[in-house]
Amino acid sequence: MKFASSYEPNQYESEIYAAWEMAGVFNPTVPTVPTDDDGDGEDDRKHAKNTYSIVMPPPNANGNLHIGHGLTVATEDSLTRYYRLKGKSSWYIPGADHAGFETWVVYEKNLEKTGHTRFEYDRNELYSKVWDFVAEQRGNMELQLRALGASCSWDDLTFTLDENVTDRIYTTFEKMWNDGLIYRGEKLVNYCPKHRTAFADIEVEHKDEPGTLWDIAYDDIIVSTTRPETLFGDVAVAVNPEDPKYKDKIGKTVHLPLTDREIPIIADEHADPEYGTGAVKITPAHDYDDYEVGERHNLDRIQVISESGKMINVPEKYYDLTTEECRKQVIKDLKEQGLLKGEHKITHSVAHCYKCGTVLEPMLKDQWFIDVEKLAKVAIQHLEAGEIKFYPENKQKVLINYLKGLKDWNISRQIPWGIAIPMFKKADEDATDEPDWIYDRRTNLKEIEKAGVRYVRDEDTFDTWFSSSHWPIVCTNWTKENYNPYYPLNVMETGADILFAWVARMIMMGLYVTGEVPFKEVYLHGLVLDEHGQKMSKSKGNVINPMDLVTKYGSDAFRLGILRGRSAGMNQAFSENSVIAGRNLCNKLWNISRFVQGIVDECNENEPSTTTYQTDNMGEDWICQEINDCLNQVEKSMQEYRFSEAVEVLYQTIWDKYADWFLESQKIYKNAELLKTTLEAILIALHPFAPFVTEVIWQNLSWTEGFIVTAKWPAKLKYDPISAANFQNIRIIVSEARTTLQALPGTNNAKKYNLMYNNDSIVADNQLLIKNLTKVPAVIALNGSPKGLKLALANHELYLDVPESVVNAYKDTLTEKILSVGRELDALNARMENPNYVEKAPAHLVKETQDQINEKQALISHLKQQLEVI
RNA sequence: GGACCCAUAGCUCAGUUGGCUAGAGCGUACGAUUCACAUUCGUAAGGUCGCAGGUUCGAGCCCUGCUGGGUCCACCA
C-alpha cells in the first residue's frame, strides 16, 4: 500500500512538476516551427488541425505573482490541460514582461537611494543597468508559475525584449511608417512631472477632488478658472457666440492681468454660458479643450510650465516657481490688485499618474502618434462580423463602442527601459531636400549617416502596449511566409480591466499585421476581491498572497478554491474557506483511491484496466450513468468557459455520488475492473483543475501507466439504463430511513431498530446494501403482518421495528408530514385544475404533474393509515 | 452626460432557449465513530429570489419603471 492516510501536497508537488517538465509532457505534439521532414518542400504542419493554443499574459519578469495571476493560471491551465486530455496538441506559451514603466519606477527609486539620478547616464547605460537589475530579480515569477501547476511550454518562454519581439515590433513600425499611420505631432499629452514621461490616455487615472474656481477680472470681463497659474499662457478669452452678455465684446481685446499683454475676445462654443461667468480663458499649451479652441482659431501656444513642473516664459517674479507656489503668488497678487472677484469651492476630476499619484500636467510635446482610425475601423468590421466570441458576451459591444471613439495613440515614452523607437532626426540643417525623420533599426547608435546626411536618434522608447499588442503574433512565431496552425489563438484569457488597453490593441495589431483576428475567443476574468467583496490593496492590508495558500493547502486546493463560484467578467470575493474546501476534495480523492487500490489488490487485478468490465448490480450501472452525465456536463461547461460549474459537478459526482453511494456499495460487491475504470475517469476529469493530486494518485496506482497529463479523456461508460434508474429506489429508501431514524426520539436509533419490508424485490435483492447504508442491525422480510413505524414512501412498504411508545412519540412529526405533503398536493392539484395549463403546457409536463399527484396521494394515504394505527 | 454590470440562505456565489418542491460551499444546530477518509459520516434548520407593475397556463429568468451597490468612458473654466 503506497497511500498514506491523508494527502500531503507538499510532499509531492515540486517533484511531480519536475517529472512532468523533464518528460516534456507540456510540449505541443505538433511542431511549433515549420518542418519538412518528408522533404516535399511543404510545411508538414499544413494539415495539422488538432491544435490548441493559448498565451499567458506576461507577468512582470522581476516581480512576484499576485492573486490575479493565480486566477489567470488556474483558468488558463485548466483549459490547456483539458484540451490536452481531449487529444489536442496544446501549446500554452509562457511569457515575461519587461513591464517598462513599472520596472523603471522601481529601478529609479533604487537609483535615487544610492544618491544618483537618471540624468547622469545616457539611455544605453541606463538600459543595461536596468537589464542587470531585472536579470538579478528574475526567476521568482517563473518558479511561482510552476508551483501553480502551469503546464506551459517553457522552452518557448517569450520575454517582451527578446530579439524576435523587437524585430517584429520594428517591422510593424516600419510598415506603419510607410503606410502613413505614424506621425510626429506636437500635441498635448498626459505628462507626469515626477517621472518625466508622457502617458497614453488609457493610463491616466481620474479622481474626483475638491478644488477652487476663481473669478478673475480681465478688464471688464470676468473669467472663471481652477488654474490661475496658467494665466501667463493665456492667448484669448472665449465666450459663447449665443451669449447675450458678451455679444458686443467679441473681437475686442482685454488686458491680461499681471502682464503687459492684450489678448482677444473670441467666440467659441466651448464657453458654456451657464458655467461660472460664462467667459473662459484660453491656454492652448496646458489644457485639452483650450488646445482645440486654439486649433480652431489659429492661436499661439505659450508653454509656461516646464517638463520638471516649474514655471517658464513668465515674468521674472514667477519664474522657476512650482505650479503650486505660482498659484499662491498669482492669487495673492490678483487680490492685491483687486482683480480677484470670486472664489467657489467645487469638485472636479483631476488626472493623476497611476503609479505615483502625481497630478498630471497636460504638456505640449513632440511625440509619435499612431493614426488609429483605419486600424479601429478594420477591427470594428471584424468584431461586428462576430469573428471573435466574447465571454462575457456583452464585452463585444463595449469594445466596439470604445473603438468607435478611439483617439490617436501616443506611443512615445520618455523612459530608457523599453524598446527604442527606431527613428532618427536630421541633424544637418543644410540638407533641406532630405526628410526630417528617417526610419532605421540601428537604435544602438546615437547618430547615423545616410546619403551623407547626419541623423540623431530619437531618445524615446515605445509604450509597452505597442509591443504587447503583438503578443499573439510573437508568441506563436507567426510569419507572413509560413502557415501556422497555432495562429489565431484558440482563446485569449486575461483580466477584464485591460480589455481596452490590451485586447483592443491586440485585435487592431493582429489584423494589421496578419490580416486575421489574433484569437477566436476572448475570456475575461474579473478582479479577485477579498472575502468581504473589497478590492485588495496594500493600504487596506487585505492582500492575499497566492503562494501562501499554495504552501498551506497545496496548489490544487488553491486552483479549485479560486475557480469555484467565479464567472466571466465579474469581480468576485475570495476567501480561504473555498481553498480549504478544495484541499478537502483532494484528500477525499486520495482516500477514494486508497480504498479502490485496496480492493484491486485484494482481487489481484493489477493489470491495466480494460473497458470490458461487467456491471453486476444497480449501483454499478448507476455510477456509470452518473459519470457519463458528469463528463457531459464538464465538456459542456468547458466549451462555454463555465469553470465554476465544471468544478461543481465534479465535486458532487466524486464526493456525493462516487464515494458516498457507489464506494459504499462496493464494500459488498468489489468489482475491481469497474472500480479501476471509473476511478480513472474521475481522476482524468478532475485533472485539469487539480493536476497534482490526480497525477500523484495516478503514479501510485498499481495498474496505471504513463502520466495522467497525457492520458486520454475518458470514453463514455457502458451500462444498463433501466438498472441504473432502479438504483434511485435504493437511494430514496435509504434516505427516508435515515431521516426517520434521526427524527425519532432518542439517539443512536439506527443501531436499535430493524428495518422490515413487505413484498419488495428491490429491497429483497439489496438487503445487505440497505443494512450497511442505514446502519440498522438487520433488514428483514415481513411476510404480510406489518408492525412498527411505516416509512413515508409512496412505492415501497417498509417499516422500522420500533415499539409502540416510540411510534406514539412520533405522532406529531407524522401529522406535520401529512400536512406538508398535503400542501404540495394542493399546489399540484391547483395546477391541474387550470384548464389553460392542461391545454397549453407541454404534454410531458402535464403527465408529470399527474404522476406526482398520484404519488402524493398514495403517500398521504399510507401516512394516514399509520396515524390511524396509533 | 454616455454605456455596462450586479442585487437569490448568516457569508460567498450557481441557477444555460421561461417548466416540477430555487441549489452549492462555508457557517449554524443535532447525531454518529475500530473496518478508505474527523481534511470523515448522517440529519436538519435557514429564501415572500432588491421594490412596483406588465407579458404568460407558468417568471429568479422576458419587458417597463424605481431603489441601492459597483465599473468603465467622456466632460468638468
Side-chain angles (χ1 to χ4, degrees), chain A residues 186-190 284-288 291 362-365 369:
Chain A
E186 187 184 54
K187 276 213 214 182
L188 278 184
V189 293
N190 312 289
H286 296 285
D287 182 280
Y288 288 94
Y291 177 86
M363 188 74 70
L364 211 47
K365 276 190 86 67
F369 288 87

Side-chain angles (χ1 to χ4, degrees), chain A residues 373-511:
Chain A
E373 199 191 329
K374 277 185 203 144
L375 298 178
K377 207 172 145 197
V378 173
I380 291 165
Q381 277 168 6
H382 286 260
L383 285 169
E384 279 176 343
E387 287 178 38
I388 300 175
K389 209 166 170 196
F390 285 80
Y391 299 86
E393 233 175 342
N394 68 303
K395 296 293 181 190
Q396 181 200 28
K397 256 180 22 197
V398 174
L399 188 56
I400 290 174
N401 195 37
Y402 169 76
L403 288 170
K404 282 184 175 163
L406 192 59
K407 288 192 196 156
D408 285 354
W409 173 13
N410 172 13
I411 53 169
S412 303
R413 295 293 177 278
Q414 292 76 47
I415 49 175
W417 182 235
I419 299 174
I421 294 182
M423 293 301 283
F424 288 78
K425 191 180 181 162
K426 185 171 64 184
D428 290 343
E429 305 268 331
D430 307 335
T432 44
D433 293 343
E434 302 301 322
D436 287 344
W437 288 93
I438 58 162
Y439 167 88
D440 199 291
R441 290 189 182 218
R442 290 172 288 169
T443 53
N444 56 322
L445 302 178
K446 285 185 182 173
E447 224 182 272
I448 57 171
E449 211 184 283
K450 210 162 189 179
V453 181
R454 270 190 333 118
Y455 291 89
V456 205
R457 84 174 170 201
D458 184 55
E459 291 294 308
D460 288 354
T461 53
F462 282 119
D463 172 15
T464 42
W465 293 117
F466 182 69
S467 46
S468 313
S469 65
H470 292 73
W471 200 235
I473 299 168
V474 293
C475 284
T476 56
N477 309 320
W478 180 92
T479 58
K480 205 173 164 183
E481 298 74 32
N482 296 303
Y483 167 79
N484 190 322
Y486 295 99
Y487 186 94
L489 303 170
N490 290 72
V491 65
M492 185 66 229
E493 196 284 342
T494 191
D497 53 337
I498 48 176
L499 176 66
F500 299 152
W502 197 30
V503 178
R505 284 166 166 74
M506 282 192 285
I507 295 170
M508 289 192 290
M509 211 58 79
L511 285 163

Side-chain angles (χ1 to χ4, degrees), chain A residues 187-199 204 226-227 229-230 283 285-288 303-311 321-324 326-327 350-353 357-365 410 414:
Chain A
K187 276 213 214 182
L188 278 184
V189 293
N190 312 289
Y191 187 85
C192 174
K194 173 157 194 306
H195 291 117
R196 301 204 181 186
T197 183
F199 292 116
V204 176
T226 53
R227 303 206 55 191
E229 73 276 15
T230 62
T283 324
H286 296 285
D287 182 280
Y288 288 94
Q303 186 177 344
V304 294
I305 301 170
S306 77
E307 293 182 4
S308 51
K310 302 272 180 69
M311 302 309 293
L321 297 180
T322 66
T323 48
E324 221 166 296
C326 180
R327 177 179 302 181
V350 181
H352 290 264
C353 172
T358 305
V359 175
L360 296 181
E361 282 296 338
M363 188 74 70
L364 211 47
K365 276 190 86 67
N410 172 13
Q414 292 76 47

Side-chain angles (χ1 to χ4, degrees), chain A residues 626-627 630 649-659 682:
Chain A
E626 291 295 339
I627 289 175
C630 172
V649 69
L650 284 163
Y651 255 82
Q652 274 170 28
T653 304
I654 291 171
W655 205 310
D656 302 345
K657 291 172 179 167
Y658 195 79
I682 61 173

Side-chain angles (χ1 to χ4, degrees), chain A residues 611-629:
Chain A
T611 47
T612 56
Y613 63 85
Q614 301 288 318
T615 51
D616 298 326
N617 56 66
M618 299 183 315
E620 293 175 357
D621 286 311
W622 174 80
I623 198 61
C624 290
Q625 183 180 59
E626 291 295 339
I627 289 175
N628 284 358
D629 283 356

Side-chain angles (χ1 to χ4, degrees), chain A residues 666-686:
Chain A
Q666 285 295 301
K667 286 178 179 170
I668 302 166
Y669 299 113
K670 300 187 197 289
N671 184 341
E673 204 51 53
L674 179 65
L675 282 166
K676 281 155 57 179
T677 307
T678 50
L679 178 61
E680 282 177 29
I682 61 173
L683 285 172
I684 295 171
L686 189 68

